[in-house]
Amino acid sequence: MTLKATLVLLLIVVALVLLATPTPTIAADDGNNQTLEGCRSDCGGVRVPYPFGIGNSSSVPHKSCFLQSSFNLACPNSTLYWGNIEVLDINISQAKVDMSIPISSICRDGRNNYTGVSINTPSFTISSEDNKFISVGCDTYGYLYSSYKEDNTTYATGCLTRCYGSSREVEDGHCSGIGCCQVDIPPKMKMTFVKSFSFYNFNQTLSFNNCSYSFVVKKENYTFYKEHLKKLPFDEFPVVFDWSVGNKETCEDSRKRGTSYACKGNTTCNDSVPTGYGYICQCNKGFQGNPYHPLGCTDIDECKTGQHSCVSDHNCHNTNGSYICVCPKGQSGKGTKEDGCQKKNFLLHIVIGASAGFIAILVGTCLLYLTYQKRKLIKLKEKFFEQNGGLILLQQGEESSHTKIFTADKLKKATNNYDENLIIGRGGYGTVFKGVLENKTIVAIKKSKIVDPDQVVQFINEVIVLSQINHRNVVKLLGCCLETEVPMLVYEFISNGTLFDFIHNENKRNYFNWENRLRIATETAGALSYLHSAASIPIVHRDVKSANILLDEDYTAKVSDFGASRFVPLDQTALATMVQGTFGYLDPEYMQTSQLTEKSDVYSFGVVLAELLTGKKPFSFEKSEEKTNLAKYFLSCVKEDCLLEALQVGILNEENKQEIVEVAIIATKCLRLTGEERPSMKEVAMELEGIRLMSKHHWVNNNGDKNFEETQHLLPISSSSERYEHGNSSSGQQTTEYDSIIKDQEVLIALPSGR
């Protein structure tokens, strides 16, 4: 082999060795020694991190290496100084700095009389949690003073130890008051002065103790020994100081100023500092470095440093400020040391996937079905609205704003889904519920049972006309709902029940005197007269009865329930209709002819007057045959001159005999079998109002007994008397005809009872 070949071979071997030799790694910089560009990072082995610094930058002209003047350090002879105090260590994360502080002493041998120590640190404070104040010696006491220039105040602390000339009780390692004493240091002490004193004369010496010492020392950095009483072998001790940035500014104040804010990226600012002023900066959790350095804190890669709870480093994925644990492919779990990872059960995953898919399909199907049902319900409401004449109502209602159309949902909500506890009335035509609208208005909602598709136009006309009726004795129609199969009507709510209840309920009857009965009868007659003659189109109620006369809180009469009512065209006097009404109140002529006229309401009102007078129900199978029908019974009492015996107990007195007889005469007129012979409701209302007015004048009843006897004499004068006759036939024929009609009622009529 030639020399040249040998050299080439040697070079190759050296190269391979170098490649095989591991390259020494440089320890990652933890950030605590970060300094500004061109600035010294240490002095004599002590790190100098920013915001501290030594002088100016060498690469950036006139750029200081420190944040503020109080952090300017010096490094003569490779020793780090703050002023004339040696700096031993700087801790950025805890905002602390260790410095070497001399001790204070006083000796009695005449060689070294007294040494006091002044610690002038206006920008730093002695850490109260990291230091102790200690005095060593027999018969010694020491003080630690602190002054504040801001308010010229001074504070002090200290301790004393006495041996009284004997060191027998002094023990090594014990600084409890004999030979050595120690106290905690109050917080926020700066500009301090340490002074040691002795209780003995300076010229007097003790063989075991020549000097007294006082000093501040970092905890765990001094241990007392008995030999220290002769001479303390230390001149200085390390002392921990707290520091902060921002002078007297808070985080918010400094942040507003912008350029002076010391906390950089990924940091937190804290005003609560031991110094009592300024603020300190700290790296956020998951970050490390120097929070004051312009680069801020950097993310900690927990996966590389092992600061994680994952099963292994391979299961760890680093994130900004944190990390996540994952399981390898084919395994499941949280990936942490506590929970670990498990092999996947593919069959279970298939079942779970299939179940999830089935649930998704089921939920989707349900949503589609609900959507379909919702659209179907909307279309059904639209169908009912049109079927019930909603379009006609909207078209005709443009001329009047009195008719309000309610939605089915609002009425359902108002009645708590038609709660049976809110039912206030039932009848042949429907059920009445008490409801509360959204605006807190209390209403009565009538849910009908019967619907006639051929009468839609007439129903809408009735709604429009009834909503325009404004009479104090007629229940106000507020509006309707047309979105249901059967239209619903909304009325004002009348709170005090029906006239029927007050007549036939013994508990209420005691408070229902004749004066109230006469007033209610007069108000009812006035309301019916208004419907017959004063309304824009005459209205026949067709179901006048005491149960349809409501009483409000003032016992004012309110005629209600127009479910069977019909309009009478202005050019007609009667309507041919199917017979409807309540048994006992029905007009016999209407039952025979099916011709509905205003006089049908007059007859029914006559029954109500008879009901008010006698207190008996219009029809009852429980009574004897002659008392079964109230109209027949009442007319027989008038004819046979026994009216007073038929009156309800408690309404008759000496003052109202005449009024009762006159009302009875009006009732007999209303109960005539032939409608033409009955008075109109207007005439009835005028007569009743006249009786009420006359009762208010005393002169009418001055000869009450005489007038009553004369009136009683007039009642049965002949069968042709117009006071109670029902036609032009004789008495015998009249009675026979009436009885025949009553029997026909029982055979031919099968109508719903009172509502």
Side-chain angles (χ1 to χ4, degrees):
M1 181 181 292
T2 64
L3 179 61
K4 185 176 180 180
T6 303
L7 291 174
V8 171
L9 183 60
L10 288 173
L11 289 173
I12 293 173
V13 171
V14 170
L16 291 174
V17 171
L18 290 174
L19 290 173
T21 303
T23 303
T25 57
I26 300 174
D29 185 6
D30 63 4
N32 287 336
N33 62 339
Q34 291 183 10
T35 58
L36 298 183
E37 182 182 356
C39 298
R40 293 185 60 173
S41 61
D42 70 279
C43 174
V46 180
R47 293 179 177 180
V48 185
Y50 190 75
F52 291 87
I54 301 173
N56 294 329
S57 171
S58 59
S59 59
V60 183
H62 310 295
K63 175 68 175 179
S64 299
C65 291
F66 45 86
L67 177 64
Q68 56 195 45
S69 59
S70 57
F71 298 136
N72 186 16
L73 306 179
C75 185
N77 302 320
S78 298
T79 303
L80 188 63
Y81 283 96
W82 181 77
N84 61 348
I85 303 176
E86 182 181 355
V87 178
L88 305 176
D89 182 64
I90 300 173
N91 189 311
I92 293 296
S93 61
Q94 298 181 12
K96 296 181 183 296
V97 58
D98 291 5
M99 292 188 281
S100 183
I101 304 298
I103 65 174
S104 172
S105 63
I106 182 170
C107 296
R108 291 177 289 275
D109 57 4
R111 293 175 300 161
N112 190 9
N113 237 2
Y114 166 76
T115 302
V117 177
S118 176
I119 308 174
N120 188 9
T121 56
S123 300
F124 301 157
T125 59
I126 298 178
S127 175
S128 62
E129 64 179 2
D130 296 301
N131 301 296
K132 285 283 188 179
F133 178 75
I134 297 177
S135 292
V136 176
C138 275
D139 307 309
T140 298
Y141 60 97
Y143 286 116
L144 174 64
Y145 296 90
S146 179
S147 61
Y148 299 88
K149 292 182 179 180
E150 292 84 354
D151 53 4
N152 295 320
T153 56
T154 300
Y155 299 92
T157 187
C159 68
L160 63 86
T161 168
R162 302 205 68 174
C163 304
Y164 293 99
S166 173
S167 63
R168 184 176 54 191
E169 300 298 329
V170 178
E171 297 181 14
D172 290 343
H174 290 271
C175 189
S176 55
I178 301 177
C180 177
C181 66
Q182 62 180 355
V183 293
D184 291 332
I185 297 176
K188 303 177 185 179
M189 294 195 79
K190 60 181 180 177
M191 304 296 289
T192 55
F193 182 75
V194 180
K195 189 174 183 181
S196 181
F197 298 91
S198 176
F199 289 101
Y200 286 94
N201 190 290
F202 289 167
N203 295 322
Q204 183 179 358
T205 61
L206 295 174
S207 60
F208 59 86
N209 180 212
N210 295 325
C211 299
S212 297
Y213 307 97
S214 294
F215 51 88
V216 179
V217 62
K218 183 178 179 179
K219 288 181 180 179
E220 313 301 333
N221 275 256
Y222 171 73
T223 302
F224 170 71
Y225 292 99
K226 189 174 183 179
E227 62 186 33
H228 292 173
L229 295 176
K230 285 187 177 182
K231 179 175 177 59
L232 189 67
F234 309 105
D235 297 325
E236 296 181 341
F237 283 105
V239 177
V240 182
F241 290 84
D242 294 316
W243 55 269
S244 60
V245 298
N247 296 322
K248 296 183 179 180
E249 290 183 332
T250 63
C251 294
E252 186 65 24
D253 294 337
S254 183
R255 190 181 289 113
K256 288 180 179 179
R257 292 183 60 183
T259 55
S260 64
Y261 185 55
C263 300
K264 305 305 179 182
N266 301 315
T267 62
T268 301
C269 185
N270 190 354
D271 287 324
S272 300
V273 292
T275 59
Y277 57 86
Y279 58 92
I280 59 176
C281 305
Q282 294 176 325
C283 290
N284 292 335
K285 184 179 180 181
F287 293 88
Q288 67 180 358
N290 189 335
Y292 304 95
H293 194 275
L295 296 179
C297 298
T298 57
D299 174 55
I300 299 174
D301 191 340
E302 293 86 354
C303 300
K304 290 184 178 180
T305 60
Q307 302 174 17
H308 59 79
S309 60
C310 301
V311 176
S312 67
D313 293 345
H314 299 291
N315 297 82
C316 180
H317 281 228
N318 185 61
T319 61
N320 192 34
S322 186
Y323 65 93
I324 57 174
C325 299
V326 296
C327 288
K329 188 175 181 179
Q331 296 184 9
S332 62
K334 295 183 179 180
T336 61
K337 295 177 181 178
E338 182 179 354
D339 298 317
C341 296
Q342 300 83 31
K343 290 185 178 181
K344 291 183 178 179
N345 188 333
F346 291 101
L347 179 61
L348 177 62
H349 282 277
I350 293 173
V351 173
I352 293 174
S355 301
F358 175 76
I359 293 173
I361 294 173
L362 181 62
V363 171
T365 303
C366 292
L367 290 175
L368 289 174
Y369 178 76
L370 292 175
T371 303
Y372 168 75
Q373 289 295 329
K374 186 176 181 180
R375 291 181 178 178
K376 184 178 178 181
L377 180 60
I378 292 173
K379 289 184 178 180
L380 186 62
K381 287 182 178 180
E382 292 175 351
K383 176 185 175 182
F384 286 148
F385 186 81
E386 184 176 353
Q387 176 180 299
N388 292 327
L391 299 178
I392 301 174
L393 180 61
L394 292 175
Q395 183 178 0
Q396 296 185 8
E398 291 178 355
E399 302 175 358
S400 170
S401 61
H402 298 288
T403 305
K404 183 174 181 180
I405 300 178
F406 294 90
T407 64
D409 291 336
K410 286 188 177 181
L411 297 190
K412 186 177 180 180
K413 183 179 179 182
T415 57
N416 194 20
N417 196 19
Y418 301 102
D419 187 351
E420 290 191 358
N421 294 324
L422 296 177
I423 294 176
I424 56 176
R426 297 180 186 269
Y429 297 102
T431 305
V432 182
F433 293 85
K434 179 181 178 181
V436 181
L437 301 179
E438 291 179 347
N439 61 359
K440 306 303 180 183
T441 301
I442 301 177
V443 295
I445 301 172
K446 181 179 179 182
K447 192 176 184 182
S448 303
K449 295 180 180 178
I450 303 172
V451 61
D452 186 357
D454 298 329
Q455 300 295 327
V456 170
V457 175
Q458 184 172 351
F459 167 76
I460 295 302
N461 289 334
E462 291 179 13
V463 170
I464 294 174
V465 173
L466 290 176
S467 65
Q468 295 176 358
I469 291 177
N470 188 16
H471 192 279
R472 69 186 300 269
N473 299 117
V474 176
V475 175
K476 180 67 176 175
L477 177 67
L478 302 179
C480 63
C481 174
L482 305 175
E483 292 181 349
T484 54
E485 184 177 4
V486 179
M488 290 186 288
L489 300 176
V490 182
Y491 294 93
E492 65 172 321
F493 178 73
I494 307 301
S495 60
N496 222 356
T498 67
L499 178 60
F500 183 90
D501 293 333
F502 277 89
I503 296 175
H504 302 290
N505 189 319
E506 293 184 2
N507 296 328
K508 296 182 179 181
R509 187 188 305 162
N510 296 332
Y511 302 96
F512 202 50
N513 56 28
W514 169 250
E515 182 181 355
N516 284 332
R517 296 181 189 227
L518 178 58
R519 176 182 55 78
I520 292 171
T522 304
E523 291 173 346
T524 304
L528 294 174
S529 173
Y530 170 82
L531 295 174
H532 289 180
S533 57
S536 57
I537 301 176
I539 302 172
V540 178
H541 190 282
R542 203 162 63 153
D543 196 18
V544 176
K545 59 182 180 180
S546 59
N548 283 341
I549 300 172
L550 305 181
L551 302 176
D552 65 10
E553 62 275 6
D554 299 321
Y555 299 96
T556 300
K558 299 277 189 176
V559 177
S560 68
D561 202 342
F562 293 86
S565 303
R566 286 294 178 267
F567 290 119
V568 180
L570 296 176
D571 57 348
Q572 298 182 28
T573 58
L575 285 175
T577 67
M578 181 180 67
V579 175
Q580 291 186 15
T582 302
F583 204 58
Y585 294 94
L586 275 170
D587 173 14
E589 185 179 60
Y590 171 46
M591 286 192 293
Q592 283 189 331
T593 64
S594 296
Q595 295 294 314
L596 179 66
T597 68
E598 297 172 356
K599 297 299 181 70
S600 300
D601 283 351
V602 176
Y603 182 89
S604 300
F605 180 72
V607 178
V608 173
L609 287 179
E611 199 175 351
L612 280 167
L613 289 167
T614 63
K616 294 178 173 53
K617 296 181 180 180
F619 197 91
S620 176
F621 289 105
E622 299 175 358
K623 298 181 180 180
S624 59
E625 183 177 353
E626 64 274 8
K627 295 183 180 181
T628 299
N629 185 279
L630 176 60
K632 178 181 177 182
Y633 169 71
F634 179 77
L635 290 174
S636 65
C637 289
V638 173
K639 179 180 178 181
E640 296 172 7
D641 197 15
C642 59
L643 173 65
L644 298 185
E645 288 77 5
L647 296 177
Q648 189 171 27
V649 177
I651 68 171
L652 178 66
N653 57 50
E654 292 298 326
E655 296 180 356
N656 61 22
K657 286 181 183 179
Q658 182 69 24
E659 297 172 17
I660 291 175
V661 171
E662 291 178 358
V663 172
I665 293 173
I666 295 174
T668 59
K669 292 179 181 180
C670 295
L671 294 174
R672 288 172 177 166
L673 294 179
T674 305
E676 292 181 356
E677 296 181 2
R678 300 170 197 157
S680 67
M681 282 309 307
K682 186 175 183 179
E683 292 172 334
V684 173
M686 292 177 62
E687 288 191 40
L688 289 173
E689 185 63 35
I691 294 173
R692 283 195 67 206
L693 292 174
M694 295 290 285
S695 67
K696 296 180 181 180
H697 300 281
H698 298 290
W699 58 269
V700 174
N701 293 320
N702 285 340
N703 297 316
D705 292 340
K706 180 179 180 181
N707 291 338
F708 175 71
E709 291 173 0
E710 291 177 357
T711 306
Q712 283 286 79
H713 179 70
L714 291 174
L715 287 175
I717 54 176
S718 70
S719 63
S720 61
S721 173
E722 67 176 0
R723 296 183 182 276
Y724 67 94
E725 279 184 357
H726 302 277
N728 295 325
S729 58
S730 64
S731 177
Q733 293 172 330
Q734 183 66 45
T735 304
T736 302
E737 181 182 1
Y738 189 86
D739 290 342
S740 174
I741 291 175
I742 295 301
K743 290 178 181 179
D744 288 343
Q745 280 184 304
E746 297 174 3
V747 175
L748 298 177
I749 306 301
L751 298 175
S753 61
R755 286 167 285 170

